[in-house]
Each structure stands twice: as structure tokens, then as C-alpha cells.
Amino acid sequence: MIIVGLTGGIGSGKSTVAQMFRDLGVPVYDSDAEAKQLMVNSTELKHAIIALLGEDAYTDGTLNRSYIAEKVFTDPGLLEKLNALVHPAVRTDFTQWAAQQKAPYVIQETALIFENGIQDFYDRILLVTAPLELRIKRVMDRDNVTEKQILERMEHQLTDDKKESQAHFCIQNIDFKTTRETVEELHQKLLHLVY
């Protein structure tokens, strides 16, 4: 089985591309969604997060996402500490999940492959890109946040140029139809690597 890392900056359309692979029958692990589940359901992780960020990190047992985002996106040191708690838990969960799949390849959708220096974990890396203005518009529409907040988040991610040279495949996600065609082509290429 091949392990594919699917990455891209905020607003690039990683989740859209991930869904296109799911539509082709490929098992896809959504690291963001699973991280949120683990942050709520793993007692050990929950205690560690409260110790790091305080009791306000949770409201009535659920993750206080706006509070956490406000704290960590303005404090790179705090973000690093939070990631050091969450990422190993997600890695363990993904490895267990992947071992249960019966497909030629699986995809882990995750934002910070290159930023975290974990590119060697993957057999292939697929980078999703889009022009900056389009990415900002998508995130503003999706998350109801300001351009300033988006740019602050983007500061924690490498530029597409730096990631492109390290990725095996790149999809420029501007037009839905073209993106779907590219996904179908890549699906065939990935299957050929296995068979």
C-alpha cells in the first residue's frame, strides 16, 4: 500500500480534492477533523491541552476553537507546543487507520507536511495550489473571518513555491472541472505505482 500525503495552504481546496479522491473510492484520512475528535475524545490529550492553554480551551466538554485559534495564531511558540501535543496523537491514529484499509493507496489530508518536516513519511506527496486572492476569498466566504486573520494563518505556512519543488504532484485548483480531470489522471498514475 502506498501512503500519499495531500497538502496545500489554507483556502487552496485540499478538502475539495480529497472529496474527489473519495468519490473514486480512495480511503482519505482528514487530519484536521480527526485531530478535533482526538482533542475532545482523548482524555490524555485533553488534559495536556488544558495544562497548556487553560480551562477556557473547552466549553462544556467541547473544543473552544475560537479561543484556541486566538491564542495560538498570535503566539508561534504556543502554536508549536500545541502541535507537539496534537501531531503525534494524529500520526498514531492515522497509522492505525491506514493498517485497516484494503486499498492500493490511502491519502492523509494534512496541512503542514513540509512545515513539520514529515515529508519522508509519505511515498508520494500531492500539493494543491490556487492563486492567493482566490484562497483569501474562499476562506473569507467559508469561515467568516477577516483578510488580516487569514494572512496571519498563512504566515505559519510555507509558500507554494517552496512546497512545489518538494511535492511529487501538483494540482492547481481554480476550475472544478479541470481539477476533477487532474484528480482522475493522478488516480491512474498512483494505481500504476502499485500494480
Side-chain angles (χ1 to χ4, degrees):
M1 180 192 293
I2 287 179
I3 294 179
V4 178
L6 172 63
T7 194
I10 184 170
S12 61
K14 283 186 307 299
S15 298
T16 299
V17 170
Q19 187 55 52
M20 290 177 181
F21 276 101
R22 278 190 195 96
D23 293 345
L24 294 170
V26 179
V28 178
Y29 181 97
D30 180 341
S31 295
D32 277 353
E34 295 303 329
K36 288 176 187 113
Q37 288 297 315
L38 290 166
M39 289 165 84
V40 172
N41 298 326
S42 164
T43 309
E44 184 185 336
L45 188 54
K46 199 170 177 178
H47 288 311
I49 290 167
I50 289 169
L52 178 67
L53 301 173
E55 294 287 339
D56 289 338
Y58 292 85
T59 309
D60 300 325
T62 60
L63 209 54
N64 186 343
R65 290 174 59 191
S66 57
Y67 169 82
I68 292 172
E70 202 175 296
K71 295 274 282 191
V72 300
F73 284 117
T74 54
D75 184 340
L78 204 54
L79 178 62
E80 208 171 290
K81 287 176 184 169
L82 179 63
N83 286 340
L85 297 173
V86 177
H87 291 165
V90 171
R91 169 63 55 86
T92 301
D93 191 61
F94 169 75
T95 304
Q96 291 168 350
W97 172 86
Q100 295 170 358
Q101 304 308 311
K102 304 280 186 265
Y105 71 96
V106 297
I107 292 177
Q108 182 178 19
E109 178 191 347
T110 184
L112 304 173
I113 290 177
F114 301 112
E115 291 83 349
N116 291 331
I118 56 170
Q119 53 269 40
D120 292 344
F121 175 75
Y122 302 97
D123 298 303
R124 292 291 184 274
I125 296 174
L126 168 55
L127 174 66
V128 182
T129 65
L132 185 63
E133 302 75 33
L134 180 57
R135 290 171 57 196
I136 290 169
K137 182 186 181 315
R138 284 173 178 166
V139 179
M140 286 174 77
D141 292 347
R142 180 188 75 196
D143 295 349
N144 196 22
V145 289
T146 65
E147 185 172 340
K148 181 179 179 287
Q149 289 171 306
I150 297 164
L151 292 170
E152 279 173 3
R153 290 186 202 173
M154 286 180 171
E155 282 175 22
H156 300 286
Q157 299 183 340
L158 291 174
T159 62
D160 286 344
D161 290 346
K162 289 189 176 145
K163 290 188 270 197
E164 276 179 30
S165 61
Q166 300 177 70
H168 298 92
F169 306 109
C170 190
I171 293 180
Q172 189 164 44
N173 180 30
I174 299 170
D175 163 68
F176 194 79
K177 183 175 179 286
T178 307
T179 298
R180 184 175 290 285
E181 287 167 2
T182 308
V183 165
E184 287 169 2
E185 286 168 22
L186 283 175
H187 177 58
Q188 293 306 318
K189 284 182 183 173
L190 289 163
L191 289 175
H192 285 304
L193 290 174
V194 181
Y195 298 119

